[in-house]
Amino acid sequence: MKFWARIFGNYFQQVQIPPFGKFIKGSPVQKNTESFEYYYPGNGKWYEINAYPSQGGVSAYFKNIDERKQVAEKLEKAYQEKINILESIGDAFFYVNKDWVVTYWNKETEKLLGRKREAIIGKNLWDEYPDVVGTGFYRQYHKALETQENLDFEEFYPALNMWLEVTVYPSTTGLSVYFKDITLRKESDIRLLQSNERFEKVAEATNDAIWDWNILENTLYWGAGFKKLFGYQIEKNTPTLESWTNHIHPEDQEWVLQSIYRALEKPDQSNWIAEYRYQKNDGTYANVIDKGIVIRDEKGNPIRMVGAMNDITERKNFEISRSRYVSQIEIQNEKLKNIAWTQSHIVRAPLARMLGIMNVIEDNDKNLDDTLMWLKHLRDSANELDEIIKDMVDKAQHLT
Amino acid sequence: MNKTILIVDDDPIVRMIIQKMIHNMDSSVNCHQCDNGEVALSVLETLRETIDDIVVLLDINMPVLNGWGFLDNLKKINLNSFTKFQLYIVTSSTDESDMLKAQSYPVIKKFYHKPLSKQDIGVILNSDEIT
C-alpha cells in the first residue's frame, strides 16, 4: 500500500486535474463564436479553430495546439492508468483536500462504507460523516494534516461494527487515505489475547509448573509455577529445553528423555507422562509427575509440546509413611491375634474344666465322696481362673 | 465292636472328667490318657495290631507336641490298617482361626469346644451306628 501511496499521493499533490474531467470538444468559447479542435491528417497535427461571424462571412483563426493536445492526451492516459490502479487495488482509498472536501472515492470505499462516490464527491467529509467527528479517525486525520507525517492506525468504527486499518499520507493540499477491513483479524487477535490472558492466569493460579516447548525453535516457556515449585528464576533470555533437562536427576535423565522422544516419534501418540526426580534451586530433589501433550502439524510431525509438572514429594512421602504405618499396624494386628489365641486357650481352659466338672457331678449323683472330690477340683479351677484374670488386669494396667 | 479311645490333653482333670463321663455311659470302652501329641503317637503305635475301633479326642494347645503337630505326624501313618479311625478336636479355645485351620485336615470328624456334654459323648460313642 505504501508503494501506491507514494506514487499516487505525490501525483495528486503535483498535478491538479479535475476528477472525472473530460476534454470538451466543440463547446462554445464565446457568444457567436465557434471553437473547434481539428486534426489535420495532411501533416498529422492538431489545430484549434476559432470562427467568428464577420461581415456576412466567417473569419477563422487556426492555432497549432499539437503540443498542448499531446500533453493533454498523455495526462488523460496517465490519469486513466492511475484510476485503473486505484480501482484495482484491494484497499479502499479516498482523497480529501485540505478543506476536507472529498475529491476521490474508489470502488472498494463504496463497498466498505456503503456510499456511492456520486453521493460524496465534492462534499465535506465531516458533514457527511458527523458520527466520526471527535473519534480516533478524526483526530488522526487532523494530526496527519498538521504534522505532515504519514500515520498508521487501527480503529473501530461503531456505525459499521468494523475494525479498520488506516494509513494516511498527508500533503499540503490534502490527505490520501487508504484503509481496509481487519475485523476478522482483530477479533481473532482479541480472542487470542483473552485466551492468552486466561492461560497466564491459570498458570499463575495452579501449583503446577506449566511449560510450553516450541520444538522447531527449541524454546521453552515456563509458567510462574516453575519458580514457585522449584525456586528457579525464570531466565530473561529465552530458555531452551536444556533449562529443563539440566535439572533432572542424573539417574532419571536418560530414561525420561528417551520416553519423551519415543512419544514424539509416534505420530498417533499425543500424551506423555513421567514420574521422576527434579532438582530444586536449593539442590534437593523433588518427586515430580510430569504430563504433556504433543501438538503436531498436518503431516504428524511434532511441532510443539505443552504440559505441567507437579511436585508430588509430599504425597510420595505421605504414601511412604502411610505404608510404613500400615505395616506397623499389620504387625501389631498379628500380635494381637496371637494374644487373642493364647487367651482363648489359656483363659478358657479352667472355665471349660469347671463346666466339665459340673457335667460330671450332674451325671454322678450316687457317690458323695466322688462329688466332694469334684467340688474340690471345681474350687481349684475357679482359683486358677481368678489368678489368670488378676494377672491379665495387672498386665493391662501396666500397658498404660 | 470294642472301642479304644485316646484322650489327648495336657490337663489331667480334663482327661479324668472325659474318661469318667465315657465310663458312666459305656464302661466297656478302653481309655488311654495321653499328656501330649507325642505320647498319643506312641500309644497309637502300640495299637497297631488291635481290631478295636479307634477314637481320638484331641486338644490343640499342649506342650511338647500340640494338636496340629500330632495331626501333621498322623499323615505319615497308614490309618487304613485300623478297623475304624475317628478323630475329634476338643479344645477350650473359641478362636475362629483354630476352626478355620481345622478345615484343612480332612481327618477331623468334628470340632468341639470344651466341655463335652453328656450328649456330645453319646454322639461320639455311637457315631459308628449313625454313619
Side-chain angles (χ1 to χ4, degrees), chain A residues 341-347 349, chain B residues 8-11 35-36 58-68 90-93 98 114:
Chain A
W341 187 87
T342 313
Q343 299 289 24
S344 172
H345 282 271
I346 291 171
V347 178
Chain B
V8 191
D9 200 307
D10 59 328
D11 188 332
D35 197 30
N36 61 55
L58 183 66
D59 185 25
I60 293 173
N61 191 28
M62 289 177 291
V64 188
L65 185 67
N66 67 14
W68 306 125
V90 184
T91 174
S92 55
S93 163
D98 288 322
K114 284 181 197 171

Side-chain angles (χ1 to χ4, degrees), chain B residues 41 44-45 48 73-80 82:
Chain B
L41 283 172
L44 259 188
E45 203 56 45
R48 272 260 167 254
N73 278 287
L74 205 60
K75 286 174 185 168
K76 300 169 195 161
I77 295 170
N78 180 16
L79 297 175
N80 290 332
F82 295 109

